[in-house]
Amino acid sequence: MGTQISVSEMMRPPSDAFGPTATHSTGVGIETRYKMWPFTTAVRPFVAPEDLSVEYDFIVIGGGNAGCVLARRLSEDPSKTVLLVERGDDDDSWFARTPLTTTYQFSDKKHSNVFSSVFENHIGRSVTCVTGLGLGGCTRINGCQYTCGVPAEFDAWSRDGRTGWSYAELKPFFQRSETWLGRDRREYHGHCGPLSVASYEGYYYKCFEAVEKACRLILPRIGDTHSSVDPSIGWYKMQFTIDSSGRRSSSYRAYLPMEILASRKDRLHVCTGALARRLCFSRNNDGSTCVDGVEIQGTNSDDVSVIVRAKCEVILCCGALRTPQLLLLIGVGPKKHLQEMNVDVVLDSPGVGEHLQDHLIVPTGYNCPLFDSLWAMIIRPTVLIRELYNYLRYGSGWFLGTLVELEIFFLSSLVEKDGRVRSISREREDPFNTENIPDIAILPCSISDPSAEGADKWRGLFGFNPSLLKMTSRGSLRLRSLDPRDAPLCKLNYLSTPEDRVAMRAGLRLSAEIARQMCDAGYPLKEISVPKSLEDADLDSFMQGRADSMYHYSSTCRMAPLDDPLPGVVDNDLRVHGTTNLRIADASIFPAVPAAHPQALVYAVAEKCSEMIMKSHSLKT
């Protein structure tokens, strides 16, 4: 997870084989043509800031995971106009579709916004923060892992007052977003949605066969994390957002394909390479605040800026780091911080930028048989050629980027000091019991850090990567400057509570136990980067030196009341408190970081938000 190895240069086609053959010029409906080496040529319409219409019914800020969903759904009504604004590009080249070469750690970083957190006191260093850049956002650089979480988590939201957000009420929106590509038709998956979701027979990496055998000895099996009858804890065969041709199914490709953009070019305008500098507010008679328009500017400082009116609503979809940053810049946030930054206070909202959470990961490393690991493709040209052929010819193989083909979700309370698993009762498997929401995960990975001391680079590299899912630590986000192009100041506050350290120790112990089971069964693993022992002090020392982000930021604009002990920013309809027509739809609204990879939940949130908006404005679908 923490290893960054670029394989792009090893397989790059000729320089004129992909990418823009002509840059897009200004004007509504002006087309940009891309060569999709080695397949097709696509034409997509985009609009430059200076050529935007004077007003739109809906303005969506941020074209990532959620923004593409909102743009598509809100533009289904032919009588409404929609503007989608994205600071990154609209690249849809062949490399932008290939799962492995677009995964952040293996990519050219073109679609990643990378910056450092502030100094993290509890681990003694800063960490790298990464967000997506360009249409599709993080869905174009993530690992494509797709898990929706356990029912108990969403039922807890509902019991805490988040009316309309129980598992039963969210389930239709998970299903609406996806088309399940598996051979067996599963009732808890969707079958007509834009997003392709797949799971594969067997494993592409043989190391996972050994992991599964070890897990079967000590853990329950989760047949599908989307099922309400499967256990909430155990081992799980991963599902991926990859289409039937083996291409990454990002929110861009899934929700805004060429056909949608071309057919709706008169009512859906997409403006890339631009950002929202400010929102224009007015006061209603009842004292509430209304957004009248948005000032939009290209990402270069000397680009022209224009103000576009919003007839109905503005929806922020910039992600858990950029959405609170934008709110602070426009004067919505903690009054004290706004005054410190000389920002005029529009709304005093103490929760903006607070309660920042993430999934923490602590990578470990082992040597394994060379051809069971992605490392073989890095050091053996013949393996690279084989896998490139498999991908181009059949849409299969290692270029699918299925680096984590199996995942373990578990409860730290069920792990003994020596790593052994306690007896698991039927009660502990109930996915509707809040006590069974997994707080740790283990992500076995078909590659680990080749630069680790003691690594044999002529053998394969394999990692067990324990992760903290339900952290009790909370960080914060503040403005670095008043320039929206600058990164915010992020304090993750990892491992700042004793509870988080206890849970992370259990994750390290469980990963060591599974490795032991693999070795006992005859699978050749050699330790490279592991704790010296399973004693608390050695585990704490190891996690402090290796702890890193999974880039699953959340909860900086929580859905909760203003007077909540952890003050909220949006209500149950995702409206920003104190406003009438400003909503947020991204991971920042999660009440707490979920025990799942977040992209499936973000899709569901965006689908639900679009329905709420359509109902409130009586839109046609």
Side-chain angles (χ1 to χ4, degrees), residues 7 383 465 474 495 536 547:
V7 298
V383 177
N465 302 309
R474 294 180 182 273
L495 300 176
D536 288 358

Side-chain angles (χ1 to χ4, degrees), residues 257-447:
M258 177 183 64
E259 302 77 33
I260 293 290
L261 291 176
S263 65
R264 301 181 188 179
K265 63 182 180 180
D266 293 331
R267 66 180 188 270
L268 171 59
H269 292 172
V270 180
C271 182
T272 58
L275 48 79
R277 290 200 65 90
R278 67 184 177 96
L279 272 58
C280 305
F281 292 101
S282 64
R283 294 286 182 186
N284 298 315
N285 292 333
D286 62 0
S288 62
T289 300
C290 176
V291 179
D292 297 319
V294 181
E295 181 183 351
I296 297 168
Q297 183 182 26
T299 51
N300 296 320
S301 60
D302 57 350
D303 285 345
V304 64
S305 66
V306 296
I307 294 178
V308 180
R309 288 181 54 203
K311 293 171 63 178
C312 296
E313 297 200 28
V314 173
I315 307 99
L316 305 184
C317 304
C318 305
L321 301 187
R322 291 294 187 176
T323 288
Q325 179 189 21
L326 178 56
L327 287 175
L328 294 170
L329 286 169
I330 63 177
V332 178
K335 182 177 180 179
K336 180 180 178 183
H337 177 57
L338 296 178
Q339 291 174 335
E340 289 171 347
M341 297 299 296
N342 293 318
V343 175
D344 291 337
V345 179
V346 174
L347 286 171
D348 181 13
S349 183
V352 173
E354 294 294 331
H355 323 305
L356 172 60
Q357 292 192 305
D358 183 21
H359 290 150
L360 179 69
I361 195 166
V362 179
T364 65
Y366 297 81
N367 276 130
C368 69
L370 177 61
F371 296 103
D372 291 4
S373 166
L374 179 68
W375 185 242
M377 195 172 82
I378 308 297
I379 66 171
R380 294 289 181 92
T382 54
V383 177
L384 172 63
I385 293 169
R386 179 196 74 194
E387 292 304 325
L388 183 57
Y389 175 81
N390 285 338
Y391 184 71
L392 293 176
R393 181 69 176 85
Y394 303 110
S396 66
W398 291 2
F399 276 95
L400 289 174
T402 58
L403 304 179
V404 179
E405 297 191 86
L406 177 152
E407 186 168 2
I408 297 105
F409 295 93
F410 211 57
L411 293 168
S412 59
S413 60
L414 296 179
V415 181
E416 300 281 6
K417 287 274 191 178
D418 62 359
R420 297 181 188 273
V421 175
R422 295 175 182 171
S423 176
I424 302 172
S425 66
R426 295 287 295 178
E427 182 184 8
R428 286 279 72 81
E429 297 183 7
D430 180 4
F432 287 91
N433 185 338
T434 54
E435 294 184 4
N436 297 340
I437 299 173
D439 61 344
I440 57 173
I442 297 174
L443 293 84
C445 187
S446 55
I447 193 165

Side-chain angles (χ1 to χ4, degrees), residues 32-302:
T32 306
R33 186 174 296 273
Y34 288 91
K35 289 182 179 178
M36 298 301 144
W37 181 86
F39 302 106
T40 61
T41 298
V43 179
R44 296 173 182 269
F46 296 93
V47 184
E50 59 266 31
D51 295 306
L52 294 173
S53 300
V54 174
E55 65 179 13
Y56 295 85
D57 292 293
F58 302 101
I59 301 177
V60 181
I61 307 298
N65 196 161
C68 291
V69 178
L70 269 296
R72 173 167 175 156
R73 295 306 189 196
L74 296 179
S75 63
E76 287 176 352
D77 185 341
S79 70
K80 299 297 182 182
T81 55
V82 179
L83 170 63
L84 175 63
V85 181
E86 165 55 37
R87 73 167 61 206
D89 65 25
D90 49 73
D91 179 23
D92 194 35
S93 65
W94 184 78
F95 272 109
R97 302 178 181 197
T98 306
L100 179 64
T101 58
T102 50
T103 300
Y104 166 69
Q105 290 88 347
F106 297 88
S107 73
D108 58 9
K109 311 301 186 289
K110 176 183 175 183
H111 293 108
S112 304
N113 184 244
V114 184
F115 58 95
S116 295
S117 73
V118 302
F119 185 82
E120 300 289 343
N121 294 326
H122 300 281
I123 61 173
R125 54 192 163 84
S126 62
V127 297
T128 299
C129 297
V130 180
T131 61
L133 185 65
L135 288 175
C138 289
T139 66
R140 66 188 303 157
I141 62 170
N142 64 16
C144 297
Q145 290 101 347
Y146 191 80
T147 59
C148 85
V150 298
E153 183 138 40
F154 309 118
D155 287 349
W157 289 10
S158 180
R159 283 194 297 273
D160 288 341
R162 310 294 80 78
T163 305
W165 294 88
S166 68
Y167 171 73
E169 292 164 310
L170 265 178
K171 180 179 177 181
F173 299 104
F174 282 111
Q175 293 175 320
R176 180 179 299 179
S177 65
E178 74 161 315
T179 289
W180 170 245
L181 300 179
R183 292 183 180 180
D184 52 334
R185 187 176 176 87
R186 301 179 180 178
E187 62 87 15
Y188 31 84
H189 280 277
H191 301 281
C192 301
L195 185 71
S196 297
V197 179
S199 188
Y200 299 97
E201 299 294 325
Y203 296 104
Y204 282 110
Y205 299 96
K206 289 189 176 181
C207 53
F208 286 100
E209 295 177 2
V211 176
E212 179 181 319
K213 288 178 182 178
C215 288
R216 285 183 178 275
L217 297 175
I218 58 174
L219 300 172
R221 177 177 180 268
I222 304 172
D224 196 315
T225 64
H226 292 248
S227 167
S228 60
V229 297
D230 279 14
S232 58
I233 57 172
W235 66 273
Y236 161 71
K237 198 169 187 305
M238 186 59 72
Q239 296 169 8
F240 301 92
T241 49
I242 297 175
D243 69 19
S244 57
S245 300
R247 297 171 297 182
R248 174 182 290 272
S249 188
S250 68
S251 63
Y252 176 25
R253 286 193 48 75
Y255 278 84
L256 297 178
M258 177 183 64
E259 302 77 33
I260 293 290
L261 291 176
S263 65
R264 301 181 188 179
K265 63 182 180 180
D266 293 331
R267 66 180 188 270
L268 171 59
H269 292 172
V270 180
C271 182
T272 58
L275 48 79
R277 290 200 65 90
R278 67 184 177 96
L279 272 58
C280 305
F281 292 101
S282 64
R283 294 286 182 186
N284 298 315
N285 292 333
D286 62 0
S288 62
T289 300
C290 176
V291 179
D292 297 319
V294 181
E295 181 183 351
I296 297 168
Q297 183 182 26
T299 51
N300 296 320
S301 60
D302 57 350

Side-chain angles (χ1 to χ4, degrees), residues 456-619:
D456 183 346
K457 296 182 182 179
W458 296 108
R459 299 189 64 204
L461 298 167
F462 173 80
F464 271 116
N465 302 309
S467 170
L468 183 60
L469 296 181
K470 299 302 295 181
M471 60 168 52
T472 57
S473 302
R474 294 180 182 273
S476 61
L477 178 146
R478 293 289 183 264
L479 292 177
R480 184 186 303 269
S481 75
L482 300 185
D483 188 340
R485 294 166 299 180
D486 286 345
L489 294 171
C490 295
K491 183 177 181 61
L492 281 302
N493 223 20
Y494 292 137
L495 300 176
S496 61
T497 67
E499 294 85 353
D500 286 356
R501 289 184 177 272
V502 168
M504 199 70 243
R505 289 174 199 145
L508 287 165
R509 286 171 173 138
L510 181 57
S511 65
E513 173 63 13
I514 297 172
R516 186 185 69 81
Q517 295 279 354
M518 292 170 67
C519 292
D520 288 350
Y523 189 77
L525 280 181
K526 177 189 174 185
E527 295 178 347
I528 303 173
S529 302
V530 298
K532 292 180 180 179
S533 77
L534 298 185
E535 296 299 319
D536 288 358
D538 287 332
L539 295 174
D540 288 350
S541 175
F542 185 81
M543 73 175 76
Q544 182 159 331
R546 303 274 294 176
D548 205 351
S549 172
M550 284 188 72
Y551 319 125
H552 292 172
Y553 317 110
S554 79
S555 310
T556 47
C557 297
R558 294 181 69 243
M559 177 170 49
L562 269 173
D563 59 358
D564 191 84
L566 300 175
V569 176
V570 299
D571 62 19
N572 293 341
D573 292 327
L574 304 185
R575 285 193 185 91
V576 174
H577 291 303
T579 70
T580 57
N581 66 337
L582 177 62
R583 301 196 204 220
I584 299 174
D586 56 34
S588 69
I589 66 94
F590 297 167
V593 65
H597 297 269
Q599 71 163 328
L601 182 53
V602 174
Y603 280 118
V605 166
E607 290 279 11
K608 183 174 173 64
C609 182
S610 67
E611 181 175 279
M612 292 188 293
I613 292 172
M614 288 188 285
K615 285 183 176 179
S616 66
H617 295 278
S618 300
L619 300 191

